[in-house]
Amino acid sequence: MTRPTANCGDDGRCMEISRPSAAPAKRALDEIKVGERVVFSRTFTEADVTLFVGLTWDVNPIHSDAEFAKKSRIGKRVVPGLLTGSLITHIGGLWAMLASKMAFEFVAPVFVGDTITAEVTVTEVNGKGWAKLSMR
């Protein structure tokens, strides 16, 4: 039996984990079971974008220049795509996983103040130290 748990902070970051009720959030890969699911939501802030741009040197003006962005087809600044994709790395950290392959499809722009949700479901575990995950 699994029990969904939710943890939301004052900063707008929430996480729901469906896991066996006795299991801790941080576990080794050999303890992860097919069908387990993690849902993690985050509201992106101005500070998030500034820190990410500074760290990655993603100096595309669509992320940092409001006047430039206003003239673009989107009309305002956009949170960097890899910053939004990085929600998946949080979940990998909970399960002590290292990714060997990831693919992203960006379906809509994300703006400062938007909250997005990442969902990961374990679809396969092979007992040799790897797992296959479905992410959205």
Side-chain angles (χ1 to χ4, degrees), residues 6-120:
N7 182 7
C8 297
D10 294 336
D11 59 0
R13 296 175 184 159
C14 298
M15 181 174 52
E16 172 190 319
I17 302 173
S18 293
R19 65 179 190 272
S21 57
K26 292 186 178 185
R27 294 181 291 149
L29 179 59
D30 62 355
E31 298 172 325
I32 304 301
K33 306 294 180 218
V34 171
E36 290 195 63
R37 185 176 76 103
V38 173
V39 179
F40 179 70
S41 296
R42 179 170 179 160
T43 302
F44 288 96
T45 66
E46 185 68 44
D48 292 331
V49 173
T50 300
L51 289 168
F52 186 85
V53 168
L55 180 66
T56 63
W57 288 27
D58 182 352
V59 294
N60 184 332
I62 196 73
H63 304 311
S64 57
D65 185 333
E67 289 304 311
F68 175 89
K70 191 184 298 183
K71 297 174 189 170
S72 74
R73 67 180 175 83
I74 297 171
K76 61 182 181 176
R77 292 176 44 230
V78 176
V79 173
L82 288 180
L83 176 55
T84 64
S86 71
L87 262 63
I88 300 300
T89 63
H90 171 70
I91 295 165
L94 287 175
W95 289 343
M97 291 182 178
L98 295 175
S100 61
K101 179 177 164 183
M102 293 177 121
F104 298 97
E105 180 181 349
F106 300 104
V107 297
V110 175
F111 306 107
V112 170
D114 285 354
T115 300
I116 66 167
T117 300
E119 180 179 322
V120 174

